[in-house]
Amino acid sequence: EERRLFDHPLVDLGIGTFENLATVSRETRLRDVLTLLCSRDLSSVPVVDDHGRVTGLYSRSDITFLATATDADSVVANLAAVVGDLIRQRRVDE
C-alpha cells in the first residue's frame, strides 16, 4: 500500500522530532507566526488542519512581501492577515 506523506498527522509519521513541535493553523495571524518563528529560532513552521495533517508550510522567506508595504496601515493590515490567505495568495502569485 502506498503511503502518502501528508495524509497523516505529523506525529503518526514517526519521522523527525516531536517534543514541543511548533505548528500553526490556517487561521493563525501572521504576527503570531512571526513571533513563533523568532521566539523558537525557526526557519519555517508547518501549517496543519484540525486533524494535525500538514496543509502547507510557512517560512521566513514568505514574509518578504512585507517590504512592499507602502505605509504603516499596509504593514498593520499585513500582520493581521491569516496564514491560510497568505499561502493561497502565494500560490496564485507563483
Side-chain angles (χ1 to χ4, degrees):
E1 172 184 338
E2 183 177 323
R3 188 171 150 183
R4 291 178 37 94
L5 184 62
F6 293 130
D7 287 345
H8 303 281
L10 288 172
V11 174
D12 291 350
L13 294 174
I15 54 175
T17 302
F18 297 103
E19 289 184 21
N20 203 16
L21 183 65
T23 62
V24 297
S25 73
R26 295 182 68 79
E27 294 78 30
T28 305
R29 300 229 175 260
L30 177 59
R31 66 175 164 259
D32 298 326
V33 175
L34 297 178
T35 298
L36 178 64
L37 291 174
C38 290
S39 68
R40 303 266 306 263
D41 194 28
L42 302 170
S43 60
S44 61
V45 63
V47 181
V48 297
D49 66 13
D50 293 338
H51 303 287
R53 291 184 294 249
V54 176
T55 62
L57 187 68
Y58 200 81
S59 69
R60 288 184 181 211
S61 63
D62 290 322
I63 65 171
T64 56
F65 78 93
L66 288 175
T68 64
T70 57
D71 57 33
D73 291 335
S74 296
V75 171
V76 171
N78 287 340
L79 290 173
V82 295
V83 172
D85 292 343
L86 298 172
I87 289 173
R88 220 175 354 267
Q89 182 60 44
R90 179 181 64 199
R91 289 178 182 151
V92 168
D93 291 344
E94 291 176 347

